């Protein structure tokens, strides 16, 4: 099994760009797609990025995703930060028989 | 309307059992794998179990293997989680979630979530 490690918290001012990292402990980050989920306080999670960099319909293009083989990590980039982006964000990947979530990152808009 | 609605949560003593249900609507249930995911109070998301679109395979997190059983009834568009030998550390909100791809062989992603049902295990 593998672990996905995220920073505990990230903050930024309105209008700025922030990046949340997600590092895979073993196995290549490119071997299985990475997804990202947003969970606002008191709500269920919703998908904001799937298959490393694809946006579900309805998700603003301020959200983007990428992977980096050199650091074995994925990134969620939020540009033009808004107060409504304050939430917990989770990366997720899988193997043949398991799904794994990162520990979550709390985004604070200053 | 595309949605998942969980039910069956409640308070149970350690060692007891509980069965969760999830009613699916608005999509072709028989074409998609389904998951249970849980979230302990103030903690992150933990994948619990997956069942293939046709019920042919089930996969579990090590923390629940041998105690929990996932199942589905396509005729009722329903997903279930039978939880036995419950422990205080099983206390969490349990979410039902739909796997994205059609007819995927194993767990992949979570593109639709229910509102969750709270399970509390007292010691």
């Amino acid at each position: 099994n593998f672990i996905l490690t995220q920073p505990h918290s990230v903050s930024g001012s309105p209008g700025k760009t922030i990046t949340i990292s997600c590092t895979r402990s073993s196995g290549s980050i490119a071997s299985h797609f990475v997804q990202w989920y947003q969970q606002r306080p008191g709500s269920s999670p919703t998908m904001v990025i799937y298959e490393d960099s694809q946006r579900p319909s309805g998700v603003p293009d301020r959200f983007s995703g990428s992977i980096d083989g050199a650091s074995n990590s994925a990134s969620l980039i939020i540009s033009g930060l808004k107060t409504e982006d304050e939430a917990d964000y989770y990366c997720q990947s899988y193997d043949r028989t398991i799904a794994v979530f990162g520990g979550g990152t709390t985004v604070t808009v200053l | 309307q595309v949605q998942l609605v969980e039910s069956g949560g409640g308070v149970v003593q350690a060692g007891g059992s509980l069965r969760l249900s999830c009613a699916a609507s608005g999509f072709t249930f028989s074409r998609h794998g389904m998951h249970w995911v849980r979230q302990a109070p103030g903690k992150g998301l933990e994948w619990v179990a997956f069942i293939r679109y046709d019920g042919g395979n089930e996969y579990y997190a090590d923390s629940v293997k041998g105690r929990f059983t996932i199942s589905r009834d396509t005729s009722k568009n329903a997903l279930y989680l039978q939880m036995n030998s419950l422990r205080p550390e099983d206390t969490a909100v349990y979410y039902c979630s739909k796997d994205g791809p059609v007819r995927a062989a194993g767990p992949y992603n979570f593109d639709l979530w229910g509102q969750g049902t709270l399970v509390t295990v007292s010691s």
Side-chain angles (χ1 to χ4, degrees), chain B residues 27-105:
Chain B
F27 65 95
T28 307
F29 184 70
S30 62
R31 292 187 181 180
H32 293 271
M34 296 293 295
H35 302 267
W36 287 99
V37 178
R38 68 185 181 183
Q39 186 170 34
K43 302 297 184 182
L45 302 173
E46 180 187 14
W47 172 75
V48 172
F50 168 85
I51 186 166
R52 206 173 71 175
Y53 64 95
D54 59 357
N57 282 98
E58 304 159 24
Y59 302 116
Y60 298 91
D62 289 343
S63 57
V64 306
K65 204 172 293 183
R67 300 188 298 124
F68 290 11
T69 302
I70 188 172
S71 62
R72 63 191 297 159
D73 185 337
T74 299
S75 68
K76 296 181 179 179
N77 280 0
L79 178 73
Y80 305 102
L81 185 68
Q82 177 66 43
M83 304 185 294
N84 299 331
S85 302
L86 282 161
R87 306 166 179 168
E89 56 264 35
D90 295 319
T91 294
V93 172
Y94 284 73
Y95 294 102
C96 163
S97 181
K98 169 182 164 287
D99 199 72
V102 170
R103 300 192 185 94

Side-chain angles (χ1 to χ4, degrees), chain A residues 33 37 39 44 51 92 94 97, chain B residues 39 59 95 108 110 113-114:
Chain A
F33 287 123
Y37 304 88
Q39 186 178 32
S44 301
E51 294 181 358
Q92 173 262 319
Y94 55 95
T97 62
Chain B
Q39 186 170 34
Y59 302 116
Y95 294 102
Y108 192 79
F110 307 78
W113 298 69

Side-chain angles (χ1 to χ4, degrees), chain A residues 1 10 18 23 29-30 44 46 55 61 66 71 73 82-83 85 88 94 106:
Chain A
N1 290 358
V10 172
I18 62 169
T23 302
I29 192 71
S44 301
T46 60
R55 270 188 315 276
D61 60 6
S66 66
S71 59
S73 65
K82 297 185 175 184
T83 55
D85 299 332
D88 292 327
Y94 55 95
T106 298

Side-chain angles (χ1 to χ4, degrees), chain A residues 3 9 12 16 25 58 65 68 75 78 85:
Chain A
I3 295 170
S9 62
K16 297 300 185 184
S25 62
D68 177 18
S75 294
I78 309 175
D85 299 332

